[in-house]
Amino acid sequence: MGQREDLAGLSGAEVVAMLGLVPLPEEGGMWREVWRDEQSTAIYFLIRPGDFSAMHRLDGPELRHHYAGAAVQMLLLGPDGLVERPVLGDDLEAGERPCVVVPAHTWMGASTQSSHDKGTVGYRTLSSTCGVRPPTPQHPVGDTRQSCRRHDAS
């Protein structure tokens, strides 16, 4: 099963413009909130080749969804010491998953995954749905090296 490089032939820059995405301070990537109520929020999130999402955590659970592009390597550091490295993508046979659940209070980070071998080198279009609304886009961002050492995940 092949991965889509883009959405309907659009470039990453076109997706950014059409969805009105802006840089996400401290965390990295491009984003825009698309829905919010008293209990939850949903965003679009785009990572370009070489980008990353810095280690951060939320007070509630989060669902990360993959829409298009190459896979995204995630690192999840649970409050109980559990370390997980799920891959968000659409190649199910390779173990990728189109949706990854991030439990509350879990440190989470993500980076683009090299995909030259699959012929996919473009952007990654994702979204996130949070069960507990983050107060602002500036949620706690951690030191990646320190978090990995604490969880023995380097």
Side-chain angles (χ1 to χ4, degrees):
M1 176 178 199
Q3 295 178 324
R4 293 181 301 177
E5 167 89 14
D6 54 19
L7 297 172
L10 299 174
S11 70
E14 289 169 319
V15 171
V16 166
M18 293 175 108
L19 295 179
L21 305 180
V22 297
L24 182 55
E26 296 185 33
E27 186 182 327
M30 306 290 287
W31 84 297
R32 182 177 74 114
E33 186 176 80
V34 294
W35 180 74
R36 177 182 286 255
D37 71 8
E38 296 80 30
Q39 296 148 356
S40 56
T41 187
I43 67 168
Y44 290 131
F45 186 68
L46 182 139
I47 304 176
R48 292 179 275 202
D51 279 351
F52 64 92
S53 174
M55 296 298 290
H56 63 284
R57 67 179 174 184
L58 300 176
D59 290 334
E62 179 175 5
L63 299 175
R64 285 279 173 124
H65 311 271
H66 182 269
Y67 289 136
V72 174
Q73 178 68 58
M74 297 181 69
L75 175 61
L76 307 179
L77 306 176
D80 59 356
L82 180 66
V83 177
E84 295 181 80
R85 291 180 175 87
V87 179
L88 193 58
D90 63 6
D91 189 347
L92 301 180
E93 291 175 339
E96 298 171 7
R97 294 296 175 253
C99 181
V100 171
V101 176
V102 181
H105 308 290
T106 296
W107 284 98
M108 162 186 45
S111 63
T112 57
Q113 185 166 302
S114 174
S115 54
H116 292 280
D117 57 326
K118 296 181 182 179
T120 307
V121 295
Y123 63 90
R124 291 83 169 145
T125 304
L126 315 170
S127 77
S128 170
T129 307
C130 301
V132 174
R133 183 176 66 152
T136 68
Q138 286 76 33
H139 41 267
V141 175
D143 179 293
T144 301
R145 288 188 185 112
Q146 182 181 15
S147 295
C148 288
R149 276 195 304 271
R150 244 190 341 263
H151 286 78
D152 194 28
S154 46

